[in-house]
Amino acid sequence: MNILKCDGCGHEMFERRAVCPECRGESFSESEAGEPQTIVSSLLTVTPEGFEDSYDLAVGKLGRTLAIYRKAVPK
Amino acid sequence: MAAIVSAGFSRFGKRKEGILDIAAESALPIVRKHRDSIDFVLVSNCYSGEFNSISGLNNLVTTYLSMDTVPSIRIDNTSGSGGAALFSAVSLVESGRAKAVLLTGVEKMSDRPTKEVTRVISSLLGEREKAAGPSLPSLAGLLTRLYMDEFGASRESIAQVAVKNHRNGALNPNAQIQKVLTLEQVLQSTVIMDPLRLFEISPISDGSTSLLVVPDDMAESYTDKPVYVKGIGMSADSSFLTDRKTFTDIPAVRRAGDIARKQSGIDRPDFAELHDMATVLEIVQSESLGFFPRGEGWKAVVDGVTEIGGELPINTSGGLNSKGHPIGASGVAQTAEVFLQLRNEAGQRQVKNPSNGMMMSMAGFGNSATVAVMGVEQ
């Protein structure tokens, strides 16, 4: 899973910004950060339009930031 | 300082009327009496475009009320729209730019399927966060797990918030759900985001509430029971949840509360209306506002501290959980509950002799928050 890293101070982000919240830098590079380490997850059974009817939703550590992602539900 | 001198209500729920009629239902009792005084209208609304295919709602509302030449603005700050609109109304009268602001919060959501409503509401998240498919209640589900793990809160203590708020809602004639629930009924209702259940999450709602906000020195010309906005604070945080340092504290709520408490000189209110879109949020917010030490809000619920007869009643109206959550109307309705309580007009859910009360209106998952402390004395 990719993260964005500020070219000025190295601050890592999951979501794109125009300006780094730490150093106000405006240049970022995208890099692969591996798989997130799940902090918490749970089964969602009322889902937004455009998504399947249930899935495990998770928040995990990704590099030095957080990620929100769907986990595969074991069959 | 600003004062609230009148409030109007619609019943919350699934309504057959269109959004303009719902808005008029709460606004007309105020407009009939004070039409000639009202010189500005604020319409708190979030989704008239998405749910009703309407733009320019504020001007449509003023025209529908035949106040065609009264200037108006629509205020959208997601689920915190009502708080932001109150902040704006207070600012207008305190600056002298307006002398009587009609503030109408309104939303009409129930025409749309649940999955569509869920998608629209979650559109406030970041692009990559949205792509994972979260809903706002799903984030509350994750928060529930984190809160229970971090502080040892029992599952029952979280669900008890729904029991309390439905009991309160059953005493509110304008509440959407007027049904007393047992703990077992809450815990056995449909799972929405494990562990959170159906009765722990606010329903999809239509409804409106209106207020008349005037400068404090004019308040007694409108009513002999004005309610003064003694302090109001607004704060914000990142829209991106993946930037947050913690989920079990809501810094925007804490900062807005600090401002409102400092301005008002009231550290601990007699009662409060909080943003219980999900049960766990009421508990976390009660800690962020300093009512209880961090990690101990759940104990206050179990001990009955937040019941109507408790030391610090929370969500006497039934909260969003039972009263309903027509998004643009909610913060206005929370303020109106404080208004009623301070005037001793809350009927069977009346708190005993309150002199001040607080409302907290929150956008998203703490993306922004408005806290107002109101009182019966200047």
Side-chain angles (χ1 to χ4, degrees), chain A residues 22-62:
Chain A
E22 295 296 322
C23 74
R24 307 288 184 262
E26 298 180 14
S27 173
F28 303 91
S29 301
E30 195 165 347
S31 62
E32 170 63 37
E35 290 303 308
Q37 302 296 308
T38 299
I39 297 168
V40 62
S41 70
S42 201
L43 181 67
L44 175 58
T45 52
V46 177
T47 63
E49 186 180 45
F51 292 87
E52 56 266 48
D53 289 338
S54 69
Y55 40 82
D56 258 348
L57 189 77
V59 172
K61 191 85 179 155
L62 182 66

mmCIF file of all heavy atoms in Angstrom, chain A residues 22-62:
data_model
loop_
_atom_site.group_PDB
_atom_site.id
_atom_site.type_symbol
_atom_site.label_atom_id
_atom_site.label_comp_id
_atom_site.label_asym_id
_atom_site.label_seq_id
_atom_site.Cartn_x
_atom_site.Cartn_y
_atom_site.Cartn_z
ATOM 1 N N GLU A 22 3.413 19.661 8.583
ATOM 2 C CA GLU A 22 4.539 19.816 9.511
ATOM 3 C C GLU A 22 5.471 20.954 9.110
ATOM 4 O O GLU A 22 5.835 21.780 9.938
ATOM 5 C CB GLU A 22 5.339 18.506 9.590
ATOM 6 C CG GLU A 22 4.559 17.344 10.188
ATOM 7 C CD GLU A 22 4.167 17.584 11.637
ATOM 8 O OE1 GLU A 22 4.978 18.161 12.382
ATOM 9 O OE2 GLU A 22 3.034 17.201 12.020
ATOM 10 N N CYS A 23 5.913 20.968 7.819
ATOM 11 C CA CYS A 23 6.953 21.947 7.426
ATOM 12 C C CYS A 23 6.476 22.935 6.365
ATOM 13 O O CYS A 23 7.252 23.785 5.931
ATOM 14 C CB CYS A 23 8.202 21.203 6.940
ATOM 15 S SG CYS A 23 8.017 20.464 5.298
ATOM 16 N N ARG A 24 5.203 22.800 5.932
ATOM 17 C CA ARG A 24 4.633 23.665 4.891
ATOM 18 C C ARG A 24 5.251 23.425 3.517
ATOM 19 O O ARG A 24 5.064 24.220 2.592
ATOM 20 C CB ARG A 24 4.738 25.167 5.245
ATOM 21 C CG ARG A 24 4.172 25.522 6.616
ATOM 22 C CD ARG A 24 2.652 25.438 6.610
ATOM 23 N NE ARG A 24 2.077 25.850 7.879
ATOM 24 C CZ ARG A 24 1.681 25.023 8.845
ATOM 25 N NH1 ARG A 24 1.827 23.708 8.687
ATOM 26 N NH2 ARG A 24 1.140 25.474 9.949
ATOM 27 N N GLY A 25 5.995 22.352 3.378
ATOM 28 C CA GLY A 25 6.542 21.989 2.069
ATOM 29 C C GLY A 25 5.424 21.660 1.088
ATOM 30 O O GLY A 25 4.314 21.280 1.500
ATOM 31 N N GLU A 26 5.720 21.787 -0.190
ATOM 32 C CA GLU A 26 4.685 21.579 -1.209
ATOM 33 C C GLU A 26 5.061 20.491 -2.211
ATOM 34 O O GLU A 26 4.461 20.380 -3.270
ATOM 35 C CB GLU A 26 4.389 22.904 -1.927
ATOM 36 C CG GLU A 26 3.848 23.975 -0.986
ATOM 37 C CD GLU A 26 3.549 25.298 -1.679
ATOM 38 O OE1 GLU A 26 3.506 25.323 -2.925
ATOM 39 O OE2 GLU A 26 3.371 26.299 -0.960
ATOM 40 N N SER A 27 6.086 19.709 -1.856
ATOM 41 C CA SER A 27 6.537 18.663 -2.769
ATOM 42 C C SER A 27 6.513 17.314 -2.046
ATOM 43 O O SER A 27 7.004 17.199 -0.919
ATOM 44 C CB SER A 27 7.953 19.012 -3.247
ATOM 45 O OG SER A 27 8.474 17.961 -3.996
ATOM 46 N N PHE A 28 5.921 16.307 -2.695
ATOM 47 C CA PHE A 28 5.741 14.998 -2.056
ATOM 48 C C PHE A 28 6.130 13.889 -3.033
ATOM 49 O O PHE A 28 6.026 14.057 -4.249
ATOM 50 C CB PHE A 28 4.268 14.806 -1.658
ATOM 51 C CG PHE A 28 3.755 15.889 -0.746
ATOM 52 C CD1 PHE A 28 3.144 17.029 -1.273
ATOM 53 C CD2 PHE A 28 3.899 15.797 0.624
ATOM 54 C CE1 PHE A 28 2.683 18.038 -0.454
ATOM 55 C CE2 PHE A 28 3.433 16.801 1.458
ATOM 56 C CZ PHE A 28 2.830 17.938 0.920
ATOM 57 N N SER A 29 6.552 12.773 -2.464
ATOM 58 C CA SER A 29 6.837 11.590 -3.279
ATOM 59 C C SER A 29 5.990 10.431 -2.764
ATOM 60 O O SER A 29 5.753 10.314 -1.557
ATOM 61 C CB SER A 29 8.317 11.214 -3.176
ATOM 62 O OG SER A 29 9.128 12.289 -3.600
ATOM 63 N N GLU A 30 5.542 9.590 -3.685
ATOM 64 C CA GLU A 30 4.738 8.438 -3.308
ATOM 65 C C GLU A 30 5.641 7.216 -3.255
ATOM 66 O O GLU A 30 6.498 7.030 -4.139
ATOM 67 C CB GLU A 30 3.624 8.242 -4.343
ATOM 68 C CG GLU A 30 2.527 7.325 -3.869
ATOM 69 C CD GLU A 30 1.271 7.434 -4.735
ATOM 70 O OE1 GLU A 30 1.176 8.381 -5.541
ATOM 71 O OE2 GLU A 30 0.390 6.567 -4.592
ATOM 72 N N SER A 31 5.475 6.409 -2.219
ATOM 73 C CA SER A 31 6.306 5.203 -2.132
ATOM 74 C C SER A 31 5.513 4.050 -1.531
ATOM 75 O O SER A 31 4.515 4.258 -0.829
ATOM 76 C CB SER A 31 7.563 5.484 -1.303
ATOM 77 O OG SER A 31 7.197 5.837 0.008
ATOM 78 N N GLU A 32 5.969 2.833 -1.800
ATOM 79 C CA GLU A 32 5.336 1.621 -1.280
ATOM 80 C C GLU A 32 5.738 1.457 0.186
ATOM 81 O O GLU A 32 6.923 1.569 0.528
ATOM 82 C CB GLU A 32 5.795 0.424 -2.123
ATOM 83 C CG GLU A 32 5.422 -0.928 -1.582
ATOM 84 C CD GLU A 32 3.916 -1.164 -1.500
ATOM 85 O OE1 GLU A 32 3.180 -0.718 -2.390
ATOM 86 O OE2 GLU A 32 3.480 -1.779 -0.498
ATOM 87 N N ALA A 33 4.753 1.211 1.052
ATOM 88 C CA ALA A 33 5.032 1.092 2.490
ATOM 89 C C ALA A 33 4.698 -0.297 3.019
ATOM 90 O O ALA A 33 4.623 -0.510 4.226
ATOM 91 C CB ALA A 33 4.266 2.154 3.263
ATOM 92 N N GLY A 34 4.456 -1.244 2.134
ATOM 93 C CA GLY A 34 4.141 -2.600 2.580
ATOM 94 C C GLY A 34 2.687 -2.731 2.993
ATOM 95 O O GLY A 34 1.836 -1.916 2.614
ATOM 96 N N GLU A 35 2.389 -3.743 3.790
ATOM 97 C CA GLU A 35 1.026 -3.979 4.252
ATOM 98 C C GLU A 35 0.802 -3.285 5.600
ATOM 99 O O GLU A 35 1.697 -3.300 6.450
ATOM 100 C CB GLU A 35 0.770 -5.474 4.412
ATOM 101 C CG GLU A 35 0.714 -6.225 3.092
ATOM 102 C CD GLU A 35 -0.351 -5.664 2.153
ATOM 103 O OE1 GLU A 35 -1.520 -5.526 2.594
ATOM 104 O OE2 GLU A 35 -0.026 -5.336 0.996
ATOM 105 N N PRO A 36 -0.379 -2.694 5.817
ATOM 106 C CA PRO A 36 -0.639 -2.053 7.112
ATOM 107 C C PRO A 36 -0.737 -3.085 8.238
ATOM 108 O O PRO A 36 -1.142 -4.224 8.006
ATOM 109 C CB PRO A 36 -1.980 -1.348 6.900
ATOM 110 C CG PRO A 36 -2.590 -1.988 5.710
ATOM 111 C CD PRO A 36 -1.501 -2.558 4.882
ATOM 112 N N GLN A 37 -0.333 -2.658 9.431
ATOM 113 C CA GLN A 37 -0.467 -3.488 10.633
ATOM 114 C C GLN A 37 -1.776 -3.112 11.313
ATOM 115 O O GLN A 37 -1.914 -2.001 11.841
ATOM 116 C CB GLN A 37 0.710 -3.244 11.590
ATOM 117 C CG GLN A 37 2.079 -3.517 10.978
ATOM 118 C CD GLN A 37 2.246 -4.978 10.595
ATOM 119 O OE1 GLN A 37 2.012 -5.865 11.412
ATOM 120 N NE2 GLN A 37 2.600 -5.212 9.329
ATOM 121 N N THR A 38 -2.733 -4.021 11.306
ATOM 122 C CA THR A 38 -4.077 -3.706 11.793
ATOM 123 C C THR A 38 -4.072 -3.359 13.282
ATOM 124 O O THR A 38 -3.540 -4.097 14.105
ATOM 125 C CB THR A 38 -5.030 -4.892 11.529
ATOM 126 O OG1 THR A 38 -5.079 -5.119 10.115
ATOM 127 C CG2 THR A 38 -6.438 -4.585 12.052
ATOM 128 N N ILE A 39 -4.684 -2.207 13.599
ATOM 129 C CA ILE A 39 -4.871 -1.781 14.993
ATOM 130 C C ILE A 39 -6.254 -2.212 15.479
ATOM 131 O O ILE A 39 -6.409 -2.719 16.579
ATOM 132 C CB ILE A 39 -4.741 -0.239 15.109
ATOM 133 C CG1 ILE A 39 -3.329 0.207 14.718
ATOM 134 C CG2 ILE A 39 -5.098 0.233 16.516
ATOM 135 C CD1 ILE A 39 -3.201 1.719 14.528
ATOM 136 N N VAL A 40 -7.249 -2.014 14.624
ATOM 137 C CA VAL A 40 -8.619 -2.370 14.990
ATOM 138 C C VAL A 40 -9.385 -2.684 13.706
ATOM 139 O O VAL A 40 -9.150 -2.064 12.658
ATOM 140 C CB VAL A 40 -9.300 -1.231 15.798
ATOM 141 C CG1 VAL A 40 -9.405 0.044 14.972
ATOM 142 C CG2 VAL A 40 -10.657 -1.629 16.338
ATOM 143 N N SER A 41 -10.270 -3.644 13.795
ATOM 144 C CA SER A 41 -11.109 -3.947 12.632
ATOM 145 C C SER A 41 -12.459 -4.459 13.123
ATOM 146 O O SER A 41 -12.585 -4.883 14.278
ATOM 147 C CB SER A 41 -10.455 -4.999 11.728
ATOM 148 O OG SER A 41 -10.460 -6.258 12.359
ATOM 149 N N SER A 42 -13.437 -4.389 12.235
ATOM 150 C CA SER A 42 -14.760 -4.860 12.605
ATOM 151 C C SER A 42 -15.589 -5.099 11.350
ATOM 152 O O SER A 42 -15.277 -4.576 10.275
ATOM 153 C CB SER A 42 -15.443 -3.825 13.503
ATOM 154 O OG SER A 42 -16.470 -4.433 14.237
ATOM 155 N N LEU A 43 -16.632 -5.899 11.511
ATOM 156 C CA LEU A 43 -17.488 -6.241 10.375
ATOM 157 C C LEU A 43 -18.562 -5.175 10.178
ATOM 158 O O LEU A 43 -19.340 -4.899 11.098
ATOM 159 C CB LEU A 43 -18.148 -7.611 10.611
ATOM 160 C CG LEU A 43 -19.055 -8.109 9.488
ATOM 161 C CD1 LEU A 43 -18.248 -8.414 8.219
ATOM 162 C CD2 LEU A 43 -19.827 -9.362 9.933
ATOM 163 N N LEU A 44 -18.595 -4.587 8.990
ATOM 164 C CA LEU A 44 -19.586 -3.566 8.636
ATOM 165 C C LEU A 44 -20.688 -4.235 7.825
ATOM 166 O O LEU A 44 -20.407 -4.899 6.817
ATOM 167 C CB LEU A 44 -18.910 -2.454 7.822
ATOM 168 C CG LEU A 44 -19.776 -1.348 7.255
ATOM 169 C CD1 LEU A 44 -20.549 -0.625 8.345
ATOM 170 C CD2 LEU A 44 -18.926 -0.343 6.486
ATOM 171 N N THR A 45 -21.937 -4.080 8.257
ATOM 172 C CA THR A 45 -23.045 -4.754 7.571
ATOM 173 C C THR A 45 -24.035 -3.783 6.925
ATOM 174 O O THR A 45 -24.977 -4.210 6.272
ATOM 175 C CB THR A 45 -23.804 -5.681 8.543
ATOM 176 O OG1 THR A 45 -24.159 -4.931 9.701
ATOM 177 C CG2 THR A 45 -22.949 -6.858 8.945
ATOM 178 N N VAL A 46 -23.861 -2.487 7.149
ATOM 179 C CA VAL A 46 -24.627 -1.485 6.396
ATOM 180 C C VAL A 46 -23.590 -0.615 5.694
ATOM 181 O O VAL A 46 -22.902 0.169 6.341
ATOM 182 C CB VAL A 46 -25.536 -0.645 7.315
ATOM 183 C CG1 VAL A 46 -26.247 0.433 6.521
ATOM 184 C CG2 VAL A 46 -26.559 -1.541 8.007
ATOM 185 N N THR A 47 -23.464 -0.790 4.402
ATOM 186 C CA THR A 47 -22.339 -0.215 3.658
ATOM 187 C C THR A 47 -22.811 0.871 2.691
ATOM 188 O O THR A 47 -23.985 0.914 2.325
ATOM 189 C CB THR A 47 -21.622 -1.326 2.865
ATOM 190 O OG1 THR A 47 -22.550 -1.867 1.914
ATOM 191 C CG2 THR A 47 -21.115 -2.427 3.790
ATOM 192 N N PRO A 48 -21.889 1.742 2.269
ATOM 193 C CA PRO A 48 -22.285 2.793 1.319
ATOM 194 C C PRO A 48 -22.625 2.224 -0.054
ATOM 195 O O PRO A 48 -22.135 1.153 -0.439
ATOM 196 C CB PRO A 48 -21.028 3.673 1.223
ATOM 197 C CG PRO A 48 -20.164 3.291 2.379
ATOM 198 C CD PRO A 48 -20.486 1.876 2.706
ATOM 199 N N GLU A 49 -23.446 2.951 -0.778
ATOM 200 C CA GLU A 49 -23.779 2.620 -2.162
ATOM 201 C C GLU A 49 -22.483 2.453 -2.963
ATOM 202 O O GLU A 49 -21.534 3.230 -2.799
ATOM 203 C CB GLU A 49 -24.593 3.787 -2.729
ATOM 204 C CG GLU A 49 -25.148 3.586 -4.099
ATOM 205 C CD GLU A 49 -25.938 4.837 -4.520
ATOM 206 O OE1 GLU A 49 -25.441 5.965 -4.312
ATOM 207 O OE2 GLU A 49 -27.041 4.666 -5.030
ATOM 208 N N GLY A 50 -22.441 1.433 -3.815
ATOM 209 C CA GLY A 50 -21.255 1.200 -4.622
ATOM 210 C C GLY A 50 -20.316 0.168 -4.024
ATOM 211 O O GLY A 50 -19.300 -0.173 -4.627
ATOM 212 N N PHE A 51 -20.640 -0.319 -2.825
ATOM 213 C CA PHE A 51 -19.814 -1.329 -2.162
ATOM 214 C C PHE A 51 -20.661 -2.574 -1.903
ATOM 215 O O PHE A 51 -21.892 -2.501 -1.847
ATOM 216 C CB PHE A 51 -19.270 -0.792 -0.836
ATOM 217 C CG PHE A 51 -18.271 0.316 -1.009
ATOM 218 C CD1 PHE A 51 -18.697 1.637 -1.106
ATOM 219 C CD2 PHE A 51 -16.911 0.043 -1.099
ATOM 220 C CE1 PHE A 51 -17.792 2.668 -1.284
ATOM 221 C CE2 PHE A 51 -15.991 1.071 -1.269
ATOM 222 C CZ PHE A 51 -16.427 2.391 -1.368
ATOM 223 N N GLU A 52 -19.974 -3.726 -1.731
ATOM 224 C CA GLU A 52 -20.697 -4.951 -1.393
ATOM 225 C C GLU A 52 -21.413 -4.780 -0.052
ATOM 226 O O GLU A 52 -21.176 -3.790 0.652
ATOM 227 C CB GLU A 52 -19.754 -6.166 -1.394
ATOM 228 C CG GLU A 52 -18.554 -6.049 -0.494
ATOM 229 C CD GLU A 52 -17.299 -5.528 -1.206
ATOM 230 O OE1 GLU A 52 -17.394 -4.508 -1.932
ATOM 231 O OE2 GLU A 52 -16.230 -6.114 -1.005
ATOM 232 N N ASP A 53 -22.241 -5.754 0.310
ATOM 233 C CA ASP A 53 -23.153 -5.561 1.446
ATOM 234 C C ASP A 53 -22.504 -5.745 2.811
ATOM 235 O O ASP A 53 -23.071 -5.329 3.824
ATOM 236 C CB ASP A 53 -24.364 -6.507 1.319
ATOM 237 C CG ASP A 53 -25.290 -6.069 0.198
ATOM 238 O OD1 ASP A 53 -25.242 -4.864 -0.166
ATOM 239 O OD2 ASP A 53 -26.033 -6.907 -0.331
ATOM 240 N N SER A 54 -21.357 -6.384 2.890
ATOM 241 C CA SER A 54 -20.656 -6.477 4.179
ATOM 242 C C SER A 54 -19.174 -6.739 3.940
ATOM 243 O O SER A 54 -18.806 -7.372 2.937
ATOM 244 C CB SER A 54 -21.260 -7.578 5.051
ATOM 245 O OG SER A 54 -20.991 -8.836 4.521
ATOM 246 N N TYR A 55 -18.379 -6.224 4.838
ATOM 247 C CA TYR A 55 -16.927 -6.476 4.797
ATOM 248 C C TYR A 55 -16.299 -6.027 6.102
ATOM 249 O O TYR A 55 -16.903 -5.265 6.861
ATOM 250 C CB TYR A 55 -16.245 -5.757 3.621
ATOM 251 C CG TYR A 55 -16.747 -4.367 3.330
ATOM 252 C CD1 TYR A 55 -16.295 -3.264 4.050
ATOM 253 C CD2 TYR A 55 -17.677 -4.161 2.318
ATOM 254 C CE1 TYR A 55 -16.754 -1.992 3.762
ATOM 255 C CE2 TYR A 55 -18.148 -2.886 2.020
ATOM 256 C CZ TYR A 55 -17.685 -1.809 2.746
ATOM 257 O OH TYR A 55 -18.139 -0.550 2.468
ATOM 258 N N ASP A 56 -15.087 -6.525 6.312
ATOM 259 C CA ASP A 56 -14.316 -6.101 7.474
ATOM 260 C C ASP A 56 -13.613 -4.794 7.141
ATOM 261 O O ASP A 56 -12.883 -4.716 6.148
ATOM 262 C CB ASP A 56 -13.259 -7.156 7.832
ATOM 263 C CG ASP A 56 -13.686 -8.008 9.006
ATOM 264 O OD1 ASP A 56 -14.671 -7.648 9.670
ATOM 265 O OD2 ASP A 56 -13.028 -9.033 9.260
ATOM 266 N N LEU A 57 -13.838 -3.792 7.953
ATOM 267 C CA LEU A 57 -13.167 -2.506 7.782
ATOM 268 C C LEU A 57 -12.093 -2.390 8.861
ATOM 269 O O LEU A 57 -12.316 -2.802 10.004
ATOM 270 C CB LEU A 57 -14.185 -1.375 7.931
ATOM 271 C CG LEU A 57 -13.675 0.010 7.577
ATOM 272 C CD1 LEU A 57 -13.603 0.172 6.063
ATOM 273 C CD2 LEU A 57 -14.590 1.074 8.163
ATOM 274 N N ALA A 58 -10.944 -1.842 8.497
ATOM 275 C CA ALA A 58 -9.834 -1.804 9.457
ATOM 276 C C ALA A 58 -9.131 -0.459 9.437
ATOM 277 O O ALA A 58 -9.125 0.256 8.426
ATOM 278 C CB ALA A 58 -8.829 -2.908 9.129
ATOM 279 N N VAL A 59 -8.558 -0.105 10.578
ATOM 280 C CA VAL A 59 -7.592 0.996 10.678
ATOM 281 C C VAL A 59 -6.269 0.357 11.093
ATOM 282 O O VAL A 59 -6.231 -0.476 12.014
ATOM 283 C CB VAL A 59 -8.020 2.044 11.719
ATOM 284 C CG1 VAL A 59 -6.902 3.078 11.933
ATOM 285 C CG2 VAL A 59 -9.292 2.747 11.282
ATOM 286 N N GLY A 60 -5.201 0.697 10.395
ATOM 287 C CA GLY A 60 -3.911 0.095 10.724
ATOM 288 C C GLY A 60 -2.774 1.078 10.570
ATOM 289 O O GLY A 60 -2.926 2.162 10.000
ATOM 290 N N LYS A 61 -1.646 0.687 11.104
ATOM 291 C CA LYS A 61 -0.432 1.497 11.004
ATOM 292 C C LYS A 61 0.210 1.209 9.651
ATOM 293 O O LYS A 61 0.398 0.044 9.279
ATOM 294 C CB LYS A 61 0.504 1.087 12.154
ATOM 295 C CG LYS A 61 1.674 1.993 12.340
ATOM 296 C CD LYS A 61 1.316 3.178 13.193
ATOM 297 C CE LYS A 61 2.548 4.069 13.395
ATOM 298 N NZ LYS A 61 2.182 5.452 13.684
ATOM 299 N N LEU A 62 0.536 2.247 8.937
ATOM 300 C CA LEU A 62 1.193 2.098 7.635
ATOM 301 C C LEU A 62 2.384 3.060 7.619
ATOM 302 O O LEU A 62 2.185 4.284 7.534
ATOM 303 C CB LEU A 62 0.208 2.427 6.513
ATOM 304 C CG LEU A 62 0.733 2.263 5.091
ATOM 305 C CD1 LEU A 62 1.033 0.802 4.767
ATOM 306 C CD2 LEU A 62 -0.271 2.818 4.073
#
